[in-house]
Amino acid sequence: QVQLVESGGGVVQPGRSLRLSCAASGFTFSSYAMHWVRQAPGKGLEWVAVISYDGSNKHYADSVRGRFTISTDNSKNTLYLQMNSLGTEDTAVYYCAREPGGAIDYWGQGTLVTVSS
Amino acid sequence: QTVVTQEPSLTVSPGGTVTLTCASSTGAVTSGYYPNWFQQKPGQAPRALIYSISNKHSWTPARFSGSLLGGKAALTLSGVQPEDEADYYCLLYYGGAHPWVFGGGTKLTVL
């Protein structure tokens, strides 16, 4: 069965960096586009970034462009989100999700990132 | 800045029917926006319900249906159950450098 398991969240000071991981299993990871979506406490969902199945195309929300980098390691079936220059506005639960073309279907359980001094 | 608008909240009686909508600030929503709908209950990850306007995932209950209605994407729940009380989010595809945008979500109360 399809599983997505995020890790790497935690408490980090403003201005510091953090890398999130999303371990995928139960499907051919290299055949799917993958997304990061976040949700600030008590707020709605915010799309963050997407990477194409072959890693050749990456797109970001304006709020994170230039600070966050999405990547994959197909040998490890893992999606990453490198987050630099973190601010308090980046505090959120971060979800990874799978996209089989025009549809986001499976989601991970999320990992909480708290940016605080 | 593209904005996707949903009703902030709706209330429906058990067994009733309710329609949630999803509008784009750029104009009418069409098939090219690949509307997706998600359900999220407190403390849980979102769950996909509908993709590409009206297609259901294998786990989507039959009482959920998607459509285009008056230039908006729509999610209709027929024969609402108490367990349908949740937040519902739509997601539209715009392509280019800002490909995907979520709506603000609709809090559905079953009362």
Side-chain angles (χ1 to χ4, degrees), chain A residues 35-39 43-48 50 59-62 65 95 99-110, chain B residues 1 34-36 38 40 44-48 50-52 57-59 87 89 91 96-104:
Chain A
H35 294 252
W36 286 102
V37 175
R38 69 183 180 183
Q39 186 170 36
K43 302 297 185 182
L45 300 175
E46 179 187 13
W47 177 81
V48 173
V50 62
H59 297 289
Y60 301 91
D62 288 345
R65 186 175 294 112
Y95 298 100
E99 183 207 327
I104 289 181
D105 55 5
Y106 288 91
W107 295 68
Q109 85 290 347
Chain B
Q1 170 111 359
Y34 299 98
N36 279 243
F38 304 92
Q40 188 180 34
Q44 297 183 14
R47 179 176 75 139
I50 299 287
Y51 64 97
S52 295
H57 295 281
S58 59
W59 53 82
D87 293 326
Y89 294 91
L91 176 66
H98 311 83
W100 295 95
V101 180
F102 279 99

Side-chain angles (χ1 to χ4, degrees), chain B residues 2 13 22 29 34-35 40-41 52 56-57 60 73 75 80-83 87 91 93-94 96 99 101 103 106:
Chain B
T2 302
S13 300
C22 174
V29 176
Y34 299 98
Q40 188 180 34
K41 297 182 179 180
S52 295
K56 299 179 185 182
H57 295 281
T60 303
L75 175 70
V80 172
Q81 302 296 308
E83 61 265 30
D87 293 326
L91 176 66
Y93 174 75
Y94 291 87
V101 180
T106 296

Side-chain angles (χ1 to χ4, degrees), chain B residues 3-108:
Chain B
V3 177
V4 177
T5 301
Q6 300 181 242
E7 297 86 0
S9 64
L10 292 170
T11 300
V12 62
S13 300
T17 297
V18 65
T19 297
L20 290 63
T21 67
C22 174
S24 171
S25 61
T26 60
V29 176
T30 64
S31 60
Y33 287 80
Y34 299 98
N36 279 243
W37 290 93
F38 304 92
Q39 177 192 65
Q40 188 180 34
K41 297 182 179 180
Q44 297 183 14
R47 179 176 75 139
L49 293 174
I50 299 287
Y51 64 97
S52 295
I53 304 175
S54 59
N55 293 283
K56 299 179 185 182
H57 295 281
S58 59
W59 53 82
T60 303
R63 62 184 180 275
F64 291 86
S65 62
S67 63
L68 293 180
L69 198 63
K72 302 178 184 181
L75 175 70
T76 299
L77 288 69
S78 305
V80 172
Q81 302 296 308
E83 61 265 30
D84 297 332
E85 184 163 291
D87 293 326
Y88 291 84
Y89 294 91
C90 68
L91 176 66
L92 299 180
Y93 174 75
Y94 291 87
H98 311 83
W100 295 95
V101 180
F102 279 99
T106 296
K107 182 176 182 62
L108 182 67

Side-chain angles (χ1 to χ4, degrees), chain A residues 17-75:
Chain A
S17 299
L18 203 61
R19 188 179 79 159
L20 305 183
S21 300
C22 169
S25 61
F27 65 100
T28 305
F29 181 70
S30 58
S31 296
Y32 291 84
M34 296 294 296
H35 294 252
W36 286 102
V37 175
R38 69 183 180 183
Q39 186 170 36
K43 302 297 185 182
L45 300 175
E46 179 187 13
W47 177 81
V48 173
V50 62
I51 185 168
S52 60
Y53 72 98
D54 62 358
S56 63
N57 287 294
K58 304 175 184 181
H59 297 289
Y60 301 91
D62 288 345
S63 57
V64 307
R65 186 175 294 112
R67 300 187 300 123
F68 289 14
T69 301
I70 189 171
S71 63
T72 53
D73 184 337
N74 287 344
S75 68

